[in-house]
Structures are given as structure tokens and as C-alpha cells.
């Protein structure tokens, strides 16, 4: 099959590319590095629909650093609209979206934006599959860079059920191979963990001088994250 990957150079996109190629699929990378900017009409003059010629499915694993609801929603719904328009023009028959477990329970701007993206996909013109995943195993290392004050990293207190990005990538390629399946079973790790403890373990290995401080996020969103709302059905 010919598979296009939106966000092919990101944390999970790199694994999706590798898994798809290992299984003998042809990969079309859609990223700024390959000359495709989905926030700019999708093409930078080259034509996104042309890139999708002969493509059987598109896997969307795009992300944004924006946390503000309006900005994140504009990004996710805008890029989805650009993909849908090009997919229809090119005759692509399957749109696969990666989303996040439990986001309807955690009212942050980013998660509300992901919900808007899910709605855009499920109501969109292209047959779809939607996979929700828990945070990646790599999330603990990423959390060390969220907020830095000198030699101190501030990490939000939350419970996660991490799953390796490679496992998520394999599930996304499975979805492509199976064809449009609607909402797929959530993908979560086998156990719940405290993010601050995981981040401290990462720091001990990679940057022993780094001090890791847990921060209680305020409001209903903070309480939900600490309670394990983003863990799905992990043990």
C-alpha cells in the first residue's frame, strides 16, 4: 500500500514510517522538512493533492506546541481540513487519526482542541479510523523540558499509563491494513505510573544534576490528571 504520514518526522511519525516500510508499504512523508506545510494550505506551492496521488491512506500524527485552546483548535481543525480537501481530490479512501485517551475528562485547551479534531474527522468526507493512545513511554523524558528554571525542571503531577511510541505506530499501520474501522479500542500501557517519579528516573540517568519538582496543576483539569483520567483502563 501507499501510505502518507502527516507529521512523519515527529516522535511517533518516525516510528510509523519505519514500521510501514518494514511491512513493505510505500511511504509518503508530509512534513515541513519534506516541503509540506499543512498550516499554509498544505503545499507551499507544490500541491498536496499531487503528493497524495495513488495514496491508499493518510495517517495523521501531527502535533503542535500550542496550549491555548483557540490556537490549538485552529491548528488541528485547519490541518484536518487541508488533508480532507486533498484526500478527496486525490481519491484517498482512508483517514487515520491518532488522538489521546481520556481527553474529554481533562478540560485543557490542548485536549479540547483534540476533541474538535476528532469531531472534524468523524464528520468529515473521508472514511476514517480513530485510535486513542495513552501518553508515550518517551513522555517522561519530554516532560523534563516542559518548564526549566535554571537547573530545575517543573513537571506536572499526573498519573499516566505509558505505551511505547513504536507500539502506537504499529497499531496505526494495523489500522491502515484493516481498512476504515471507526473508533478503535484505546491503546494504553499495562500499569499506571506517577509522571514525576518517571521524570526523576530519567533525569537520574541522563542529567543527574537536574532537580525535578512536581507541580500540582490547578482546577478540574489538574485534579483529573492527578486522578488518572488520562490512563484509560490501565490496571
Amino acid at each position: 500500500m501507499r501510505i502518507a504520514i502527516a507529521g512523519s518526522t515527529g516522535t511517533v511519525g518516525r516510528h510509523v514510517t519505519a514500521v510501514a516500510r518494514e511491512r513493505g508499504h510505500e511511504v509518503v512523508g508530509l512534513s515541513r522538512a519534506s516541503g509540506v506545510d499543512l498550516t499554509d494550505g498544505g503545499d507551499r506551492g507544490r500541491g498536496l493533492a499531487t503528493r497524495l496521488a495513488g495514496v491508499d491512506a493518510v495517517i495523521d500524527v501531527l502535533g503542535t506546541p500550542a496550549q491555548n485552546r483557540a490556537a490549538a483548535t485552529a491548528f488541528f481543525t485547519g490541518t484536518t481540513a487541508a488533508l480532507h480537501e486533498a484526500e478527496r481530490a486525490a481519491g484517498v479512501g482512508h483517514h487515520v487519526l491518532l488522538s489521546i485517551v481520556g481527553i474529554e475528562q481533562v478540560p485543557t485547551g490542548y485536549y479540547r482542541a483534540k476533541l474538535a479534531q476528532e469531531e472534524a474527522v468523524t464528520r468529515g468526507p473521508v472514511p476514517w479510523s480513530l485510535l486513542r493512545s495513552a501518553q508515550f513511554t518517551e513522555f517522561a523524558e519530554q516532560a523534563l523540558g516542559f518548564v526549566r528554571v535554571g537547573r530545575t525542571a517543573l513537571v506536572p503531577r499526573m498519573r499516566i499509563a505509558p505505551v511505547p511510541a513504536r507500539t502506537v505506530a504499529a497499531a496505526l499501520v494495523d489500522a491502515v491494513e484493516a481498512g476504515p474501522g471507526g473508533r478503535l479500542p484505546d491503546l494504553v500501557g499495562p500499569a499506571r505510573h506517577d509522571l514525576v517519579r518517571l521524570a526523576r528516573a530519567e533525569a537520574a540517568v541522563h542529567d543527574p544534576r537536574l532537580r525535578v519538582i512536581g507541580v500540582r496543576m490547578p482546577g478540574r483539569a489538574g485534579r483529573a490528571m492527578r486522578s488518572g483520567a488520562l490512563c484509560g483502563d490501565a490496571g
Side-chain angles (χ1 to χ4, degrees):
M1 300 177 72
R2 194 166 194 233
I3 303 171
I5 304 168
S8 56
T9 59
T11 299
V12 69
R14 294 192 297 269
H15 290 288
V16 175
T17 298
V19 170
R21 286 176 173 162
E22 288 167 9
R23 296 188 188 181
H25 301 299
E26 181 184 354
V27 170
V28 177
L30 304 177
S31 68
R32 289 178 177 174
S34 64
V36 177
D37 185 354
L38 288 163
T39 65
D40 185 26
D43 60 16
R44 286 189 179 177
R46 300 188 183 187
L48 179 57
T50 300
R51 294 286 188 97
L52 297 185
V55 164
D56 298 288
V58 171
I59 299 176
D60 183 359
V61 290
L62 288 166
T64 175
Q67 297 298 310
N68 173 271
R69 180 175 181 174
T73 299
F75 174 85
F76 284 125
T77 59
T79 55
T80 296
L83 286 171
H84 275 160
E85 181 180 357
E87 288 163 2
R88 290 186 67 184
V92 177
H94 191 186
H95 184 106
V96 181
L97 175 66
L98 176 63
S99 192
I100 307 167
V101 169
I103 52 177
E104 67 280 357
Q105 302 180 57
V106 184
T108 68
Y110 188 90
Y111 292 153
R112 287 294 186 251
K114 286 296 291 183
L115 286 172
Q117 183 188 33
E118 290 184 358
E119 183 176 3
V121 168
T122 59
R123 294 188 176 186
V126 180
W128 55 275
S129 297
L130 169 61
L131 175 68
R132 282 185 171 188
S133 167
Q135 280 71 27
F136 307 140
T137 304
E138 295 84 350
F139 187 64
E141 182 177 358
Q142 294 170 348
L144 294 174
F146 287 168
V147 180
R148 289 285 191 101
V149 181
R151 297 297 303 164
T152 299
L154 305 181
V155 176
R157 292 198 175 277
M158 59 188 291
R159 304 284 288 174
I160 64 173
V163 58
R166 170 85 182 194
T167 300
V168 176
L172 290 167
V173 178
D174 288 344
V176 167
E177 294 172 342
R183 174 72 182 270
L184 304 175
D186 292 348
L187 183 59
V188 300
R192 300 185 180 202
H193 296 274
D194 179 82
L195 176 61
V196 174
R197 290 184 180 179
L198 293 180
R200 285 173 176 158
E202 286 288 338
V205 172
H206 301 291
D207 192 355
R209 295 174 55 203
L210 183 65
R211 185 186 183 198
V212 178
I213 301 296
V215 177
R216 289 172 64 92
M217 303 300 290
R220 186 158 63 95
R223 291 192 297 272
M225 289 190 290
R226 292 191 298 274
S227 74
L230 296 172
C231 293
D233 295 327

